[in-house]
Amino acid sequence: MRYVSTRGGAPVLGFADVVLAGLATDGGLYVPQEWPHLPAQLPDGYPALAAAVLAPYVGNDFSADQTRALCDAAYATFRHPDVVPLVDLEPGHRLMELFHGPTLAFKDVALQLLGRLFDSILTARNERVMIVGATSGDTGSAAIDGVRGCANVDIVILYPHGRVSEVQRRQMTTVDSPNVHTVAVDGTFDDCQDLVKAMFNDAAFRGRHNLSAVNSINWARVMAQVVYYVEAARRAGGEIDVTVPTGNFGNVLSGWIARRMGAPIGRLVVASNQNDILTRFFESHEMRATGVSPTLSPSMDIQVSSNFERLLFEMNGRDGAMTRDQLSRFRQTGSLLVEPDQYGEWIAPVFRASRASDHDTLVTIRSVHETTGMLIDPHTAVGVKAAREHMREGVPMVTMATAHPAKFPDAVERATGVRPQLPEHLSDLLERPERTVNLPNDLAAVQQFVASVAR
Ligand SMILES: *Cc1c(COP(=O)(O)O)cnc(C)c1O
């Protein structure tokens, strides 16, 4: 399998190179040259299913046995025998719990595999990388956990000092592994992101330390997430609609790919919080950027959804130059309009969307608790509200539950009066020793730190 950039101006690469590259050199995102079809026989068990679904994407870069071994190891870190269990919520509506991994959010599904892919590719090539990233919460801890055991990967994660929740901070700072480093920056999440961008833009620094990223545009993350959509349809035993709490459009794009590969998925419901650029797009056919405001579902507080570019490329008939021009106009004007025929062909038959305010989120958490006794996290609640609005007669709905309620205990307690407990393997999280450094919002200071921990 070969991969092309959505902006048409980067080299065509194989799987291993795409995994290491992350972003294409023309600023685009890598996508496979064609979409494969699902195998006729889907093997039982999640790791076996993952290996079968991913086989056409990894091509010849990994043997079937290697892929299977990586999937076995990645999903052995999940605490539920089904890995991603499907549970009843209310008549016709089920939750797929994606939060049984080490850091309690769905990002583990992709990052447990990505860390192992990285290490395996680097070991074979006798290379090392330094992953640097900025986090406002979930991604940092999931990325750290995905690479904590990797011999050829170091990781430095920047987070805004005093602005991530205690659980999220401790999930990063209590990992006792010589290749893991965290930095509390005196600044905001945007400051952290700017520092990371500046390090990548410093070509000499980037080259000296072989900087790399594991952000949500990495193809391997999107690919790994396709598997649980296939699994959801299989367990439901027929056609389903799926609702996805959405930020960067990575998760729901994976659902679209599963559908494209032949999984029996009818509609995909995009659920946003009040940072609703996507919901507005589905209402108006126009992508228009506005500011971001903080909500109870912080992992969905985004201004522009980076993975939407992959769908746009499809809508443009896989014309990279056209996609590039459209995006550069979007950066200049803050607006991107999709033509009616594109909308009619690509969006209308598949996608629906809804938004939830913080008030809606709390009301939904409370109503689920009252009717079922279950505690759901605020991101999942945004999904449940949207799902309820888009249920169809005779088509089972599955909502992706993207985080464990104990990851966002304050909102859950506010809604229900019940404080969710951390699962057993994290029950002593609040007592574990923390390891982090505090640095000013200063590029030279951060670069000096990165250089000092490079092995
Ligand atoms: C990252 C995240 C999301 C958003 O997923 P995207 O792939 O960015 O759309 C939703 N919920 C939780 C809990 C997350 O961590």
Side-chain angles (χ1 to χ4, degrees):
M1 176 70 81
R2 310 289 289 165
Y3 289 83
V4 297
S5 164
T6 50
R7 299 192 192 175
V12 173
L13 299 179
F15 176 73
D17 289 319
V18 162
V19 171
L20 293 187
L23 202 66
T25 49
D26 60 357
L29 278 52
Y30 275 108
V31 287
Q33 223 157 25
E34 71 255 3
W35 297 111
H37 208 271
L38 289 175
Q41 288 296 324
L42 299 176
D44 285 335
Y46 194 81
L49 178 71
V53 172
L54 305 186
Y57 291 118
V58 305
N60 297 327
D61 288 354
F62 289 88
S63 70
D65 286 348
Q66 279 176 312
T67 308
R68 178 62 199 271
L70 289 169
C71 292
D72 280 342
Y75 299 118
T77 65
F78 280 59
R79 257 78 184 180
H80 194 285
D82 290 344
V83 181
V84 286
L86 197 58
V87 303
D88 287 333
L89 180 68
E90 52 205 5
H93 187 184
R94 282 185 265 189
L95 295 181
M96 180 160 248
E97 295 182 346
L98 302 176
F99 53 70
H100 293 278
T103 74
L104 311 182
F106 91 96
K107 294 188 173 65
D108 288 328
V109 179
L111 285 164
Q112 286 296 318
L113 185 65
L114 182 61
R116 287 167 173 83
L117 286 168
F118 252 80
D119 213 35
S120 167
I121 297 166
L122 291 166
T123 305
R125 296 182 177 190
N126 198 19
E127 286 174 19
R128 309 186 56 82
V129 294
M130 165 69 76
I131 292 172
V132 293
T135 192
S136 55
D138 288 347
T139 308
S141 54
I144 284 173
D145 214 283
V147 303
R148 64 192 296 174
C150 295
N152 290 24
V153 180
D154 297 295
I155 187 166
V156 175
I157 294 289
L158 312 184
Y159 63 92
H161 189 198
R163 292 173 199 241
V164 300
S165 79
E166 184 172 20
V167 170
Q168 289 182 321
R169 186 190 72 239
R170 286 181 161 274
Q171 284 186 315
M172 298 189 279
T173 59
T174 61
V175 173
D176 186 17
S177 195
N179 66 334
V180 170
H181 308 275
T182 60
V183 180
V185 174
D186 291 326
T188 63
F189 171 59
D190 287 333
D191 295 330
C192 296
Q193 262 191 321
D194 288 344
L195 288 166
V196 169
K197 275 188 207 143
M199 283 191 272
F200 274 96
N201 288 336
D202 179 341
F205 185 79
R206 177 181 184 160
R208 187 155 61 245
H209 298 295
N210 213 3
L211 293 194
S212 181
V214 293
N215 43 26
S216 75
I217 53 85
N218 194 300
W219 164 252
R221 285 184 62 177
V222 174
M223 171 191 90
Q225 292 162 187
V226 171
V227 179
Y228 53 73
Y229 287 87
V230 178
E231 177 77 339
R234 172 166 73 172
R235 289 229 209 102
E239 194 189 42
I240 53 171
D241 289 342
V242 186
T243 301
V244 190
T246 298
N248 266 323
F249 205 74
N251 196 354
V252 70
L253 179 79
S254 301
W256 180 85
I257 294 169
R259 187 180 188 276
R260 184 77 181 67
M261 292 175 75
I265 293 169
R267 288 182 184 162
L268 291 162
V269 181
V270 174
S272 29
N273 64 25
Q274 75 198 37
N275 297 301
D276 61 347
I277 181 167
L278 287 167
T279 303
R280 286 184 285 111
F281 169 74
F282 292 113
E283 288 165 355
S284 67
H285 309 190
E286 185 195 16
M287 197 71 88
R288 179 173 281 281
T290 56
V292 189
S293 51
T295 70
L296 295 175
S297 41
S299 301
M300 294 156 62
D301 291 346
I302 48 91
Q303 187 168 26
V304 176
S305 303
S306 47
N307 266 300
F308 189 78
E309 179 166 342
R310 289 188 161 109
L311 187 63
L312 192 64
F313 179 66
E314 300 292 333
M315 287 195 270
N316 289 337
R318 301 200 132 218
D319 183 332
M322 181 173 167
T323 308
R324 180 197 64 213
D325 293 346
Q326 210 173 15
L327 288 165
S328 90
R329 276 199 305 280
F330 178 61
R331 271 191 304 283
Q332 284 156 18
T333 64
S335 164
L336 188 161
L337 205 61
V338 165
E339 299 300 323
D341 60 330
Q342 289 179 306
Y343 199 91
E345 182 182 352
W346 293 94
I347 304 289
V350 189
F351 290 99
R352 296 292 179 274
S354 287
R355 72 175 66 72
S357 65
D358 275 353
H359 176 74
D360 297 329
T361 303
L362 291 169
V363 167
T364 306
I365 296 174
R366 188 176 313 133
S367 90
V368 166
H369 185 242
E370 277 170 3
T371 53
T372 69
M374 287 165 71
L375 296 176
I376 58 170
D377 102 286
H379 304 79
T380 306
V382 169
V384 167
K385 174 182 178 279
R388 285 172 169 171
E389 290 168 3
H390 291 280
M391 297 270 290
R392 286 195 288 168
E393 194 64 37
V395 185
M397 177 66 85
V398 174
T399 295
M400 293 300 175
T402 51
H404 190 287
K407 197 145 187 178
F408 299 93
D410 296 336
V412 177
E413 186 174 14
R414 209 169 123 195
T416 63
V418 180
R419 194 158 182 90
Q421 296 301 305
L422 284 166
E424 188 130 29
H425 71 278
L426 288 171
S427 58
D428 65 342
L429 184 69
L430 301 183
E431 281 91 59
R432 290 182 199 167
E434 291 190 80
R435 195 166 58 92
T436 187
V437 299
N438 185 202
L439 292 176
N441 176 17
D442 175 62
L443 180 61
V446 174
Q447 285 187 323
Q448 196 177 22
F449 177 76
V450 170
S452 76
V453 298
R455 291 184 296 173

